Amino acid sequence: MTQWTSAVGAAQLARLLNSQQERPAGPGSRRPPAYRALADGIRLLVLEGRVPVAARLPAERELALSLSVSRTTVAAAYEALRGEGFLESRRGAGSWTAVPAGNPVPARGLEPLPPEALGSMIDLGCASLPAPEPWLTRAVQGALEELPPYAHTHGDYPAGLPALRAMIAERYTARGIPTMPEQIMVTTGAMGAIDAICHLFAGRGERIAVESPSYANILQLMREAGARLVPVAMAEGLAGWDMDRWRQVLREAAPRLAYVVADFHNPTGALADEDQRRRLVDAARAAGTVLVADETMSELWLEEEVRAAGMPRRVCAFDPAGSTVITVGSASKAFWAGMRIGWVRAAPDIVRSLVAARAYADLGTPVLEQLAVNWLFSTGGWEQAVALRRAQARENRDALVAALRRELPDWEFSVPQGGLTLWVRAGGLSGSRLAEMGERTGVRVPSGPRFGVDGAFEGYIRLPFTVGGAVAEEAAVRLAAAARLVETGGTGAAAESPRTFVA
């Protein structure tokens, strides 16, 4: 990057640095010089994503005052970071964080594993579960019964089948968000929805504010569309969204779009409360930014207490005029990834623009799959299928958490109350190296940098709730073996060839 896209203040950076727990020095070891400790601290914040890449750092004098150190110490730390590729500077523009050349975002980890490899490799790359039967079969059978009248038409419905648009609108209205069918466009999955939104609102070179970390496939979609990503760091654990930081980024970077997953965030599992949602919408409105709210995980609460307390209102509930928030939903996470049905809820004029642009994209969404989702919504099958999905995910989550705590007690994570993913700090190990060594030990995992901008989150991996029981236990054993290989630099005894493992 050639210039900064966000900024971190001296007081904020000092707080982040002071939050780092200093590891005790080993016997006979010496503490590093003050400048080296400061440089290491800033580098760790960048690699963990707590300070975004391309964030302007405070001036040397300001940071020195906040840390109560000499300006010489800060200047030496900045110079060390520049030499290592973690800082770039330009006269008159200041200094901003970077990631060294030669550290590309890993290219593997989220694509589905070929079926022929499933016998020996445990796939923790994709956060997708098998179809919730018998509901998939029943939905397809119901769709086939409804198909004949549509078969006598041309079959092209760029905005979606009228019956499904009306049903989705009715579901929003039932949740206290009055919605007309004209506000709904059916898409080919959530990815199709967000791709259409990005092409309409954020042309090549436009800025899009994104959570850091965020969903890897969406980040890549935006990169390929030519967008300039502006990362906004998430708070630690499940605290989620730092509203002061969001307001600052939206005000200073003025992005055209902002993308958030407020419901069981992917990958951290955080759930935004109503105050965070309200303040986020207010900040976007004040900045003139269109806020894209991804609701694909909204129905995947896994704890009864969440249901009893009630989920927070949808993000679009805080935008009654419909001028700021565009909502994206999908059947792919809550039901089945093979059901490529998504939707957009937006102001009617936005929906009309999206539909008009579709003539140059995919023309429309398959009719049979739309009929299947409409059957699920209209018969109550959706609620029963999603209840089954919740039970599967909850059981898998608990098995994975128990296995990790037994096999890898030094790894850190917060257990989310919903969603499909666990965001794990891997005990100081490189997530990219773990992904590499996992291929040798028979477990496939996506590394943390896939979920950041320009290589952040090197110390993390994401683990989905897609396996349970004995398979989850074996996955943890293989991860522990991969960790041992990383610790020895991959030069220790080679791991045994992974045995064929059938759940």
Side-chain angles (χ1 to χ4, degrees):
M1 291 190 178
T2 57
Q3 64 182 33
W4 56 275
T5 57
S6 62
V8 56
Q12 179 187 4
L13 182 55
R15 287 195 301 272
L16 290 171
L17 288 165
N18 290 332
S19 71
Q20 295 175 334
Q21 294 195 1
E22 186 175 323
R23 294 184 179 181
S29 63
R30 297 179 179 178
R31 292 186 181 279
Y35 85 90
R36 184 69 262 172
L38 176 56
D40 290 346
I42 294 174
R43 186 182 68 250
L44 180 60
L45 289 172
V46 173
L47 290 175
E48 290 183 339
R50 296 175 69 190
V51 169
V53 175
R56 184 166 64 90
L57 295 185
E60 294 168 2
R61 187 183 304 275
E62 294 175 5
L63 184 57
L65 288 172
S66 293
L67 293 173
S68 299
V69 300
S70 71
R71 182 177 177 181
T72 302
T73 296
V74 177
Y78 279 14
E79 183 60 33
L81 290 168
R82 274 189 287 270
E84 296 165 2
F86 284 93
L87 199 67
E88 295 181 10
S89 303
R90 192 174 64 214
R91 186 177 297 277
S95 299
W96 57 93
T97 55
V99 170
N103 288 268
V105 177
R108 297 182 298 173
L110 296 183
E111 301 80 9
L113 196 65
E116 61 270 16
L118 290 175
S120 60
M121 184 73 69
I122 297 177
D123 186 7
L124 298 181
C126 294
S128 301
L129 288 162
E133 288 289 23
W135 299 106
L136 174 62
T137 298
R138 292 180 182 178
V140 173
Q141 291 171 340
L144 287 171
E145 293 176 2
E146 298 292 331
L147 182 61
Y150 295 94
H152 294 293
T153 73
H154 49 63
D156 287 334
Y157 296 88
L161 293 184
L164 181 56
R165 296 175 72 195
M167 180 61 66
I168 294 171
E170 182 181 318
R171 290 171 66 84
Y172 277 105
T173 301
R175 292 181 173 90
I177 307 168
T179 303
M180 303 178 295
E182 291 79 10
Q183 292 177 261
I184 302 296
M185 170 182 166
V186 180
T187 62
T188 307
M191 292 288 288
I194 294 169
D195 182 59
I197 293 167
C198 287
H199 279 88
L200 180 64
F201 285 96
R204 185 164 295 276
E206 291 276 7
R207 292 177 175 178
I208 302 179
V210 295
E211 298 146 328
S212 184
S214 186
Y215 178 36
N217 286 340
I218 293 296
L219 295 180
Q220 190 59 30
L221 180 155
M222 292 174 175
R223 290 188 191 99
E224 293 182 358
R228 189 175 176 193
L229 302 183
V230 182
V232 186
M234 298 281 284
E236 283 292 292
L238 299 177
W241 295 260
D242 183 331
M243 290 301 106
D244 291 337
R245 191 174 297 173
W246 266 100
R247 186 175 295 277
Q248 178 187 12
V249 169
L250 293 179
R251 181 178 64 247
E252 296 180 357
R256 186 71 181 92
L257 285 179
Y259 169 77
V260 297
V261 184
D263 300 294
F264 307 118
H265 174 259
N266 185 355
T268 68
L271 175 65
D273 61 33
E274 291 206 354
D275 182 63
Q276 289 173 321
R277 296 168 191 240
R278 180 184 294 105
R279 294 175 64 189
L280 186 58
V281 173
D282 289 346
R285 184 182 298 115
T289 298
V290 175
L291 181 63
V292 180
D294 185 335
E295 293 184 343
T296 55
M297 298 282 189
S298 63
E299 297 191 58
L300 289 177
W301 49 265
L302 304 182
E303 302 292 353
E304 189 62 26
E305 61 192 75
V306 176
R307 186 200 65 79
M311 283 284 291
R313 283 178 289 171
R314 304 294 177 95
V315 174
C316 59
F318 301 98
D319 180 39
S323 59
T324 300
V325 178
I326 298 177
T327 301
V328 172
S330 172
S332 297
K333 293 297 185 185
F335 186 74
W336 183 46
M339 187 68 77
R340 305 304 305 160
I341 298 294
W343 54 85
V344 172
R345 181 197 180 275
D349 61 320
I350 293 175
V351 168
R352 286 193 294 271
S353 296
L354 289 170
V355 171
R358 197 168 195 179
Y360 310 102
D362 63 357
L363 294 177
T365 303
V367 169
L368 188 63
E369 291 184 24
Q370 291 187 73
L371 289 171
V373 172
N374 191 58
W375 183 91
L376 288 166
F377 284 158
S378 61
T379 62
W382 176 267
E383 284 70 23
Q384 296 183 66
V386 173
L388 178 60
R389 171 67 76 237
R390 292 191 194 107
Q392 289 176 310
R394 183 187 309 113
E395 181 178 341
N396 289 354
R397 179 200 63 183
D398 294 347
L400 180 63
V401 165
L404 288 174
R405 286 176 172 164
R406 181 178 63 253
E407 299 293 335
L408 294 153
D410 293 336
W411 288 17
E412 302 171 51
F413 50 84
S414 298
V415 181
Q417 293 184 307
L420 290 173
T421 57
L422 196 67
W423 186 235
V424 180
R425 192 198 304 257
L429 302 179
S430 161
S432 297
R433 291 286 287 162
L434 278 169
E436 178 185 1
M437 295 303 166
E439 299 283 344
R440 293 173 57 180
T441 62
V443 59
R444 186 169 179 264
V445 296
S447 62
R450 288 296 307 270
F451 303 87
V453 175
D454 291 338
F457 304 107
E458 183 55 57
Y460 290 80
I461 60 173
R462 189 198 73 171
L463 301 177
F465 310 145
T466 52
V467 297
V471 184
E473 294 176 6
E474 177 68 12
V477 169
R478 296 185 184 188
L479 280 172
R484 289 191 293 273
L485 284 175
V486 173
E487 288 170 344
T488 60
T491 59
E496 295 180 4
S497 299
R499 68 180 184 275
T500 300
F501 195 88
V502 180

